[in-house]
Amino acid sequence: MPSITVDGKTIPARPGQMIIQACHDAGIDVPHYCYHPGLSIVASCRICLVEVEGIPKLVPACQTPIRDGMVVHVTSSKAIANQKQVMEYLLVNHPLDCPVCDQAGECLLQDYSYQYGRAQSRFEEDKHKKPKKDIGLHVLLYNDRCIMCTRCVRFTREVSGQSELMVQGRGHKEEIDIFPGKPLDNKLSGNVVDLCPVGALLDKDFLFQQRVWLLKSTPSISPADAGGENIYLHWNENRIYRVKPRYNAEINKWWISDDTRYSYKAVHADNRLVQPVMKVMGAPSRVSFNEAADHADASLRKIVKERGQGSLYAVLSPMMACEEAYLLGTYIRSLDPQALLVMGPTPRSEDEVFKHYLSGEETFRIQGEKVPNRKGVERIMQSLGGATATWERFVVSPAKPGGWIVGGYLSNWATVRGELPDALRDGFRVVQDTLSSELSERADVVLPSAFWAEKEGCWENFAGKLQAFAKAINPPGQARAEGDVYVRLLGRRGRYVAQDIRNELGEPFASVTVPLPEHEAPAPAVEFAEI
Ligand code: SF4
Ligand code: FES
């Protein structure tokens, strides 16, 4: 394996790698703006220039391939002098509006300005002002903050493949723009906000919502479809403010779909179920969670006693964690060994495929199966054995005397063409769901449950990859994670701990672990602390 020496330290490098990649792999920081590992290399910003022994001029680290034995200086006086000059040039027309910029705190311009910038500006002329633009459904462009790195333009060509963004004009009049009448509205559009190294491209949804240093980060998985995109949930004071991609070379690389990005909206929806309800003499009445759960348990037991085995069913939702599906299946079979396990509905559409604008090579695919865990729940149902049914078969069969129905979908799910299916119209129904619906209104017992961001567990994606997600925030009101309810009803000790259930399930679940956190959330600086 070749090696290079960077600032006196010898590091390994792979043949064909650029200097910046070898440095980043070895944990050596080289300042960069236009370079992004997921995009083509243009070497236009020039902040990454380094000194290489034997080459008279500085060379771009992002575009110079390594050579075995190469000696590189990233922090030599010549390289630092260049970084300072590039910073001075980039800041000539920059508005320096960090106090009101959403990117402040995670802006490369701010970071490098702190490291390499001059304390005073030598620029005495008026700054060239460029307009703000609404360029698409989710994205705003603050053109005067742009440093023309063209990451966003390359993304729309090389990943989303629809080339909505372009560079318009030349010299100091150069700016990013869309083609007239063609907004940036593809399903990967939010990624340009993550890509932009400064605060020029902003997410309308996050605009002025939070200062980024107040946000905590929790590793999670997308609930939007079966792709299993890896994400971070960014939250503060029990509210999620944004979803960011988490790099996974096999699944989503650096990108996520807009469906994933805005999936958290359901968590804070106005129609969240927050109050347990049970029908007393036919009238719904508000009760404590334990009262409602105990009533559900006693009623289902009574039904089996009176009507015999095979009178219960449980609808296992493909939004449930595998661990929860296992616990609910175990619980319902403990009441009625012949209970029917039903796979909840799986909404589907066509896969959406994105291709490189020139090569036509597939760059990203949004799965058409719009639930995260059909495969995992099916795996659990198979392992539990006994009577099972698909949703399609279940909804056309006669209603059973008693059932436990789990939802947890990101939108209303239980109706078929606007109507509740016959199988859910009658009998004693315990509904454990997150959003209110016709089904929850008709239920005999309503147990408000938790979205994925409010609990822990694992999901299996379309390709059979099991991935764990961690709990970020608490469920609202009296809502409770499904796992906690089943653990209690099964008479087990303690609370629901996903890793313990995975260990109980054995392989392949036992080796699934929660990913490491993005960073330990730093305490807010005193001058920015919330009052
Ligand atoms: S808008 Fe952002 S990503 Fe696009 S060129 Fe400007 S600085 Fe780069
Ligand atoms: S990162 Fe190398 S020139 Fe921009």
Side-chain angles (χ1 to χ4, degrees), residues 342-412:
V342 182
M343 181 76 214
T346 301
R348 282 194 181 83
S349 62
E350 289 288 304
D351 283 8
E352 288 174 71
V353 181
F354 296 84
K355 294 180 177 168
H356 189 283
Y357 79 128
L358 282 181
S359 68
E361 187 191 334
E362 183 175 322
T363 50
F364 199 89
R365 180 178 285 260
I366 300 176
Q367 292 295 319
E369 188 171 297
K370 298 301 176 195
V371 288
N373 198 28
R374 176 192 55 85
K375 277 201 131 181
V377 172
E378 276 177 5
R379 187 191 284 268
I380 293 291
M381 281 169 64
Q382 270 167 17
S383 72
L384 289 168
T388 61
T390 61
W391 179 251
E392 292 71 22
R393 217 181 80 207
F394 171 70
V395 292
V396 293
S397 45
K400 280 182 171 282
W404 189 296
I405 305 148
V406 182
Y409 293 79
L410 300 176
S411 58
N412 198 359

Side-chain angles (χ1 to χ4, degrees), residues 32-35 43-46 48 62:
H32 58 284
Y33 289 120
C34 65
Y35 169 75
S44 62
C45 74
R46 317 307 280 178
C48 73
C62 65

Side-chain angles (χ1 to χ4, degrees), residues 34 45 65 73-74 94 314 436 485 497 525 530:
C34 65
C45 74
H73 300 281
V74 175
H94 191 84
S436 69
V485 182
V497 178
E530 283 173 312

